[in-house]
Amino acid sequence: MNDMEKANILHQLKTAFDISPELLETLLKQISNKSIKDNFKRITSGLTIEDNYKHIFSAMPWIKNIGGLHQAQAEKYKKNYQIPDYALLVEDSQKKNFPLLVDVKYVKGDAKSCTIIPKQKHTLRQYATAHRQPLLIAIYWEFIGYWTHTCLSHFGGKKNNKIDWQTAICNDLSHLLSDYTFLINKPFYRKTVFPKPADHSNRNYARHKLYGNFDSIFIGPDIDNLFKEDELFYSMVIDANFNATTVSIEDHENHMCLIEEFSSQPSMIKLSQWLLNLTQFMNIQPSLVVNEMHVLETARKVIVDLIHRLGYSISYNIPPLKNACTDELFELAYKDTTVMRDYRHGKV
């Protein structure tokens, strides 16, 4: 076992158990490579992003399995092959599954491009070819809090090993994994009813800072067409991604009524980005499970239901840079669909 593999195991141990600083230091001393030891915090931040990828994309409806490929690899094999981070099974348009390999990259801070070492690019491609499975590179762009999926052939530059964030977004294939993009092209509304006097007694319950706990919630595409939704999660996913504009505040004898408008301007919102915003809004880890249900999976179901009820459409990005990789993936995912026809129609 090499020192990087030891660092990975230590990261998993630190994630699963409450380890004291003293024990962590003792275990770190068993890593002889000074560079890995001194950069353990930076290395584990990248491993955390890998873990978050699994939790976020496990919540997607077309993902039928996602497993880490963290097997120890003998040094003699690394010359020709690098094992990607994840193996996925993805549901296609025919309700069958196809395999997909994903390697995760983390672009930290304000950096605007992702670079892969040429040898790593070669060995990843060799592994995918040998296993006869398509490969995507998943990149987390920290400066915008955004995930993209692209083919290795989308990387350019002198060594064909670099991609900037604009190119990655233009050629994003995340929708293959049911990471939809929603087109919010008209405002929607929420009416919240609060009992009087304001009830602030339950501090573990979400409430308005002035009007206290809510009595009921109504959401809809216009003020005169609202559907009742008492489940608080619907309001939480809205507040995680939209800013409210107050339309009116009505003071009745037994209750207050707050009417708000959301998203008066057109916008494109990707499902994974919405889920990330929700984790930050709720201050939770992407791995959180409540009552044996993954919180992000519950949130995804709420988001998709909300979008459906509000009448917004889903967009499937057609990459301007088409190649053998995108041809194969679109055929695997969208055979005999309008998405496949759109892809072929736009092909140069």
Side-chain angles (χ1 to χ4, degrees), residues 150-156 162-163 167 171 173 319 321 323 326:
T150 53
C151 296
L152 277 173
S153 46
H154 286 134
F155 284 68
K162 187 175 183 179
I163 191 170
T167 302
N171 295 280
L173 301 174
L321 299 179
N323 48 55
T326 59

Side-chain angles (χ1 to χ4, degrees), residues 199-207 213-214 232 236:
D199 180 11
H200 295 275
S201 59
N202 189 347
R203 298 193 176 276
N204 294 321
Y205 194 72
R207 62 193 187 281
N213 298 334
F214 75 92
L232 182 62
M236 295 179 75

Side-chain angles (χ1 to χ4, degrees), residues 112-338:
K112 305 296 192 299
S113 63
C114 177
T115 302
I116 297 180
I117 299 170
K119 179 186 175 183
Q120 185 184 61
K121 179 180 177 181
H122 172 73
T123 52
L124 279 170
R125 179 173 281 148
Q126 288 280 95
Y127 183 94
T129 300
H131 285 78
R132 299 179 182 178
Q133 295 178 8
L135 169 72
L136 284 177
I137 305 300
I139 307 172
Y140 180 66
W141 305 89
E142 186 175 51
F143 81 103
I144 51 174
Y146 199 85
W147 282 100
T148 60
H149 291 80
T150 53
C151 296
L152 277 173
S153 46
H154 286 134
F155 284 68
K158 292 182 179 180
K159 299 180 180 179
N160 290 323
N161 68 328
K162 187 175 183 179
I163 191 170
D164 59 61
W165 68 281
Q166 296 102 323
T167 302
I169 290 177
C170 286
N171 295 280
D172 186 21
L173 301 174
S174 295
H175 56 80
L176 295 166
L177 283 64
S178 59
D179 186 9
Y180 318 115
T181 296
F182 305 114
L183 175 60
I184 312 298
N185 55 0
K186 55 185 177 181
F188 65 95
Y189 299 86
R190 178 176 66 191
K191 179 173 75 173
T192 310
V193 178
F194 304 91
K196 288 176 62 178
D199 180 11
H200 295 275
S201 59
N202 189 347
R203 298 193 176 276
N204 294 321
Y205 194 72
R207 62 193 187 281
H208 192 279
K209 62 181 179 180
L210 292 179
Y211 308 128
N213 298 334
F214 75 92
D215 177 72
S216 55
I217 297 171
F218 302 83
I219 303 167
D222 57 73
I223 296 175
D224 297 322
N225 185 22
L226 301 173
F227 55 85
K228 187 175 182 181
E229 185 48 74
D230 289 335
E231 188 177 331
L232 182 62
F233 216 0
Y234 279 76
S235 270
M236 295 179 75
V237 300
I238 289 172
D239 290 331
N241 213 67
F242 298 96
N243 293 319
T245 300
T246 299
V247 174
S248 65
I249 302 173
E250 302 172 3
D251 191 348
H252 299 273
E253 181 179 356
N254 297 318
H255 65 274
M256 298 289 294
C257 181
L258 171 65
I259 297 179
E260 301 164 293
E261 179 184 287
F262 296 90
S263 184
S264 58
Q265 298 296 323
S267 61
M268 304 286 282
I269 305 168
K270 200 159 70 156
L271 181 53
S272 61
Q273 188 178 25
W274 200 332
L275 292 176
L276 279 170
N277 291 343
L278 183 66
T279 63
Q280 296 168 5
F281 178 76
M282 295 178 64
N283 192 28
I284 62 171
Q285 293 298 319
S287 58
L288 182 64
V289 174
V290 176
N291 295 328
E292 299 184 356
M293 176 62 74
H294 198 297
V295 170
L296 291 189
E297 185 172 358
T298 300
R300 184 265 299 169
K301 292 177 180 178
V302 168
I303 290 168
V304 173
D305 181 59
L306 180 67
I307 290 295
H308 175 73
R309 291 209 221 178
L310 293 175
Y312 297 124
S313 60
I314 295 174
S315 173
Y316 298 87
N317 181 53
I318 305 299
L321 299 179
K322 300 182 180 69
N323 48 55
C325 173
T326 59
D327 288 351
E328 178 188 15
L329 286 167
F330 269 80
E331 184 67 27
L332 283 170
Y334 298 121
K335 184 178 180 180
D336 298 331
T337 66
T338 56

